[in-house]
């Protein structure tokens, strides 16, 4: 493949910048651009050794480092060279431009990682794990992305595919040599295995319910009547003043948002306008928006100070919160009793919020966080269900078509059967240089 090059570090000024080249001929370009300290040129670059010296940036030189990774023992599986220079914007751009002048071309988004995938250095799901790690805004997403990147999901999927392959092999053997009366080959056994496999796939797919919340952040709407301390509660949960607090009713006329990490998971809190019947035109618009937020949130905090609760118009998860316990004792049974002013009961409320939305989430076990993986698992499960439902009407070799479809859907996750459109969608998420 032709040589590609790009700046692999973040844009802007920093201590160090890295310019990466990959492809057959990367070493030739490096030998023309880099001079080791005390020598005019590199003779026989030793792989994996960092050299100190001068890099030609076309009109200037910069003293830094250079390293060569020989194919196939590199990230992309190709010859790779990295120039580590001072982190000035123009320095990095000059060295990059010099590599282009010597025959490299500009890398596209995610092209280095795409080449790693093409060359069998990582699976498609591993590449997605990498971008999840890079973009992670919480410990839970970082850990889930790390497990993806380290091929934990790929290993699970390949075990499921291996079970399907074994079932398909038994069906094929029975179809090709029916007179042999092969031991253990019967439809009852085959469909028992299919049913067990379907249960495993459905269980893995079910983890997306929690995984979606983990990746996107759990949405929590704070609602209630005016002056119950909703804005104060938001500020207390966030740990800083985000919402304006005032004794005047109707101060919050639009949604105020803020995010905080609880037990490793990101929670997106929204302080909504106080819901009351008599309100001005502007406040009424805020109340309507509040109702929409309430209807779509993962969880509702229905806040009261003992002077009546607002109707949430929702059948899902709701935590009834009594606020201002430092002023008045609770007047009944509540899920949580807090004081936004003193902080009393806040930690207990945070743990309850976590429990109600993500439960006993284990950050050490793989779970589904990508919608693409969930769809592929759901399609695989549907194909197996189709095979089970058609068991009485069709012969095993016909049902094998459904089983092969299930195998292919699972392969979309690892990339074995992913089409070009799926692959392009994955790598479009990457930045240039990765």
């Amino acid at each position: 493949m032709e040589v590609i090059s790009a700046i692999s570090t973040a844009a802007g000024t920093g201590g160090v910048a890295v310019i990466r080249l990959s492809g057959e001929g990367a070493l030739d370009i490096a030998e023309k651009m880099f001079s080791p300290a005390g020598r005019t040129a590199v003779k026989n670059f030793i792989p994996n050794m960092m050299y100190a010296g001068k890099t030609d940036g076309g009109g200037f030189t910069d003293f830094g480092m250079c390293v060569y990774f020989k194919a196939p023992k590199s990230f992309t599986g190709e010859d790779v060279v990295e120039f580590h220079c001072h982190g000035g914007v123009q320095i990095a751009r000059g060295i990059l431009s010099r590599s282009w002048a010597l025959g490299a071309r500009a890398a596209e988004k995610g092209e280095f990682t795409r080449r790693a995938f093409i060359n069998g250095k990582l699976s498609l799901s591993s590449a997605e794990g990498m971008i999840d790690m890079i973009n992670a805004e919480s410990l839970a997403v970082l850990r889930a992305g790390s497990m993806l990147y380290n091929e934990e999901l790929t290993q699970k999927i390949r075990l499921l595919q291996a079970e399907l392959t074994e079932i398909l092999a038994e069906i094929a053997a029975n179809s090709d040599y029916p007179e042999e009366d092969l031991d253990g080959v019967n439809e009852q056994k085959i469909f028992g295995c299919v049913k067990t496999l379907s249960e495993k796939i459905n269980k893995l797919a079910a983890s997306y319910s929690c995984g979606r919340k983990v990746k996107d952040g759990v949405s929590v709407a704070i609602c209630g009547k005016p002056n119950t301390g909703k804005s104060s509660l938001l500020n207390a949960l966030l740990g800083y003043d985000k919402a304006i607090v005032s004794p005047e009713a109707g101060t919050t006329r639009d949604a105020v948002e803020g995010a905080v990490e609880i037990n490793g998971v990101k929670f997106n809190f929204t302080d909504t306008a106080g819901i009351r019947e008599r309100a001005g035109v502007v406040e009424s618009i805020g109340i309507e928006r509040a109702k929409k937020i309430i209807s779509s949130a993962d969880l509702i905090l229905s806040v009261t100070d003992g002077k009546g609760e607002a109707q949430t118009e929702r059948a899902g998860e709701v935590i009834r919160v009594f606020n201002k316990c430092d002023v008045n004792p609770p007047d009944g049974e509540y899920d949580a009793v807090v004081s936004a002013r003193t902080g009393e009961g806040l930690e207990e409320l945070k743990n309850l919020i976590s429990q109600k939305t993500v439960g006993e989430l284990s950050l050490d076990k793989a779970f589904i966080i990508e919608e693409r993986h969930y769809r592929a698992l759901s399609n695989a499960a549907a194909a197996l269900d189709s095979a089970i439902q058609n068991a009485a009407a069709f012969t095993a070799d016909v049902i094998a078509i459904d089983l092969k479809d299930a195998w292919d859907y699972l392969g979309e996750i690892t990339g074995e059967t992913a089409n070009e459109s799926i692959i392009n969608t994955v790598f479009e998420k990457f930045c240039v240089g990765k």
Side-chain angles (χ1 to χ4, degrees):
M1 282 189 172
E2 59 188 330
V3 180
I4 57 173
S5 63
I7 300 171
S8 291
T9 40
T13 302
V16 176
V18 176
I19 297 88
R20 176 182 291 168
L21 289 73
S22 181
E24 187 178 351
L27 183 59
D28 294 336
I29 293 175
E31 289 175 340
K32 294 173 183 176
M33 291 180 62
F34 185 75
S35 300
R39 288 182 282 170
T40 58
V42 176
K43 296 298 181 182
N44 300 321
F45 251 110
I46 299 175
N48 309 317
M49 177 176 288
M50 190 74 82
Y51 290 85
K54 293 181 180 180
T55 303
D56 176 16
F60 72 91
T61 59
D62 179 63
F63 192 87
M65 311 287 284
C66 181
V67 60
Y68 163 57
F69 303 98
K70 185 177 181 179
K73 295 181 179 181
S74 69
F75 173 70
T76 62
E78 305 169 341
D79 280 352
V80 171
V81 171
E82 289 182 357
F83 296 110
H84 295 235
C85 63
H86 289 97
V89 174
Q90 293 304 323
I91 296 173
R93 287 178 179 173
I95 293 172
L96 177 63
S97 296
R98 183 62 179 154
S99 73
W100 294 343
L102 291 172
R105 69 160 174 83
E108 299 175 358
K109 282 186 175 181
E111 190 169 3
F112 290 99
T113 310
R114 185 179 186 128
R115 289 190 176 194
F117 164 67
I118 291 171
N119 292 324
K121 304 298 287 188
L122 78 174
S123 69
L124 196 60
S125 60
S126 178
E128 288 169 295
M130 180 190 300
I131 196 65
D132 284 335
M133 290 177 68
I134 292 170
N135 295 331
E137 295 183 350
S138 69
L139 176 61
V141 176
L142 177 60
R143 295 286 290 276
S146 175
M147 285 185 277
L148 262 183
Y149 179 60
N150 288 304
E151 305 283 19
E152 291 198 25
L153 179 61
T154 296
Q155 291 172 16
K156 286 179 178 287
I157 296 303
R158 285 178 176 159
L159 286 174
L160 295 172
Q161 287 181 303
E163 291 185 48
L164 271 170
T165 299
E166 188 173 335
I167 295 170
L168 286 165
E170 289 200 22
I171 292 174
N174 199 39
S175 298
D176 292 341
Y177 306 102
E179 70 282 357
E180 295 294 331
D181 189 24
L182 300 175
D183 290 340
V185 177
N186 59 73
E187 291 187 2
Q188 196 68 29
K189 175 190 173 183
I190 287 173
F191 290 107
C193 293
V194 171
K195 187 175 180 181
T196 300
L197 189 57
S198 177
E199 290 170 354
K200 291 180 182 178
I201 292 174
N202 278 313
K203 183 178 180 180
L204 185 57
S207 69
Y208 180 66
S209 175
C210 181
R212 176 192 62 79
K213 297 174 185 175
V214 167
K215 184 172 182 180
D216 298 338
V218 181
S219 60
V220 182
I222 303 174
C223 71
K225 290 185 177 297
N227 279 355
T228 53
K230 300 184 301 299
S231 297
S232 295
L233 181 58
L234 173 67
N235 292 340
L237 288 167
L238 297 180
Y240 63 92
D241 291 341
K242 179 67 182 279
I244 298 173
V245 177
S246 167
E248 180 182 338
T251 298
T252 302
R253 298 191 175 190
D254 203 352
V256 180
E257 300 176 342
V260 68
E261 192 171 310
I262 301 174
N263 297 335
V265 178
K266 180 184 176 184
F267 285 80
N268 300 312
F269 289 94
T270 304
D271 173 24
T272 62
I275 299 176
R276 59 175 177 168
E277 294 181 3
R278 295 181 180 180
V281 175
V282 176
E283 189 181 348
S284 295
I285 294 173
I287 291 172
E288 287 305 310
R289 289 182 180 177
K291 290 179 179 178
K292 290 180 181 179
I293 292 169
I294 290 168
S295 66
S296 62
D298 294 314
L299 178 70
I300 300 298
L301 300 187
S302 181
V303 183
T304 180
D305 58 0
K307 299 177 182 178
E309 294 182 67
Q311 295 297 315
T312 60
E313 300 180 5
R314 175 187 168 91
E317 289 286 359
V318 177
I319 295 178
R320 297 174 65 239
V321 182
F322 182 90
N323 192 18
K324 305 181 183 179
C325 69
D326 57 316
V327 177
N328 298 307
D331 58 350
E333 294 294 325
Y334 294 91
D335 300 310
V337 176
V338 304
S339 168
R341 188 176 69 86
T342 67
E344 181 180 348
L346 278 180
E347 288 305 312
E348 291 81 357
L349 175 58
K350 287 181 180 180
N351 288 330
L352 182 59
I353 290 170
S354 178
Q355 180 62 41
K356 287 279 189 180
T357 51
V358 296
E360 299 297 330
L361 175 66
S362 173
L363 301 185
D364 296 321
K365 294 182 179 179
F367 51 91
I368 303 300
I369 62 172
E370 296 289 341
E371 181 182 357
R372 186 183 77 81
H373 300 168
Y374 171 71
R375 289 200 307 268
L377 288 168
S378 298
N379 289 336
L384 294 183
D385 289 343
S386 175
I388 294 169
Q389 292 168 8
N390 294 326
F394 300 102
T395 58
D397 57 331
V398 174
I399 293 166
I401 296 172
D402 284 329
L403 303 185
K404 182 60 170 62
D405 285 344
W407 196 99
D408 288 343
Y409 283 127
L410 293 176
E412 289 181 3
I413 296 175
T414 61
E416 292 168 284
T417 57
N419 58 39
E420 195 69 17
S421 176
I422 292 173
I423 293 171
N424 288 340
T425 299
V426 169
F427 290 105
E428 281 172 359
K429 300 176 184 178
F430 283 75
C431 62
V432 174
K434 191 58 185 169

